[in-house]
Amino acid sequence: EIDRAAEAFCGWDPKHDHKKEGPKFEAYASSLLGSSPIALHFCEHFHGGAGEVQRFVNIGSAGDYTSVSAPFDALPQSVRQLPKGSDLIITFATGSVATMALNWAATARKAGVDSILIGALDEKMMTECEKTNTPCTLIRGGNISKLLNTDGAAQNLRSRPSLYPKMSVLKVGFYRELLSYGFNIWACDADAVLVGDPRPLMRQPEWADAHVAAATDCIDIPLDNRYPLLHCDLNTGLVFMRSTPEVLDFTARWREHIASAKELRIRDQAAFNMLLKQRPLMSKGRHTRLFTASNGPEQLTLGVLPLSRFLNGHTYFVQHAHTLPGAAPPLAVHMTYQFAEGAKFAYGKRQR
């Protein structure tokens, strides 16, 4: 504990340091550890709703690199031939939710989006894609892939707390692979279906500076239209990521935070929010949906997608917000706010 105290200590929490005691504490801690300065971990308390989730890491695995690969040469020709800078719409799935993933592909095509790709987490999903001529590539993740092909077979991974974070590691690693090839990506969960083409949105001047963009789980569209609602989680069921050095750095950090998390509840969405909200989000202007967010010691520009265009299970199925007078045409619907989460399938999502 003394030799590696810098790794064991969570770090001083600047958000609660109202008396500005942090520098004094850091100096005292450094004096106990010796004359050489030691960088302590950033504190990553995440405040969500009424509760607080705190991230811990296993000291033995912190900083280790998690290998996830989706080789360029193994991508479908329809993807390989896209020029750098193209927007690619992607999802990921195991064979146990193939019906959901194939429905996602069908709705994307119906919405006029053909630059799509499914990341297969097991061989069964690859087989289902081949049957329907759906662009697909196998995500390789060593021991994690082996576990998904055996322990996770025919299972709803959302109901398997020991496996779901491992799937999240592959998912984020897959994103980073595609970003490294020069593609901008719209990363969707298989239950986040397109009802319009979102790609032109990020080409508009007001979104041009966004490195990453996501919608929240909030449900008050009129209030969100006045100012982006930030008190809810950013939902990783649909995230835009631009191929830039900042985003490559962020996705590597995101992947490793999930891989080294000690608590099983630290999945991709929790880690995403923790990292971006490590310091308070700062608006980049009065009439903008862009914010300065944390990227380790650096920063990136986060866009908060409008709830009116990116609907969730409540705003679409309960409020029917898209049918109200003057409603903007929706671009995507995420099948959240539902029941019937079975051990073998998310039956509520399938019903929707």
Side-chain angles (χ1 to χ4, degrees), residues 46 49 216-219 229-234 273 277 337:
F46 168 58
T216 71
D217 277 331
C218 294
I219 60 175
L229 297 178
L230 302 174
H231 64 281
C232 305
D233 264 2
L234 295 162
N273 280 272
K277 299 177 182 178
Y337 292 96

Side-chain angles (χ1 to χ4, degrees), residues 7 41 44 54-66 144 165-166 168-169 252-267 271 274-275:
E7 298 177 62
H41 279 187
E44 293 172 356
Q54 183 174 353
R55 171 184 169 266
F56 298 90
V57 299
N58 292 318
I59 292 175
S61 62
D64 291 346
Y65 177 78
T66 305
I144 298 178
K166 293 179 172 58
S168 297
V169 173
R253 185 176 288 109
W254 183 14
R255 180 197 61 215
E256 295 310 307
H257 269 59
I258 307 166
S260 63
K262 184 177 179 181
E263 294 186 76
L264 293 178
R265 57 181 169 168
I266 307 303
R267 302 173 178 183
M274 288 175 187
L275 288 169

Side-chain angles (χ1 to χ4, degrees), residues 223 253 331:
L223 193 58
R253 185 176 288 109
L331 295 173

Side-chain angles (χ1 to χ4, degrees), residues 5-29:
E7 298 177 62
F9 179 59
C10 179
W12 192 262
D13 186 355
K15 294 186 290 294
H16 292 159
D17 188 14
H18 303 300
K19 296 183 179 180
K20 307 301 180 185
E21 299 280 356
K24 185 191 301 182
F25 178 86
E26 297 278 352
Y28 181 71

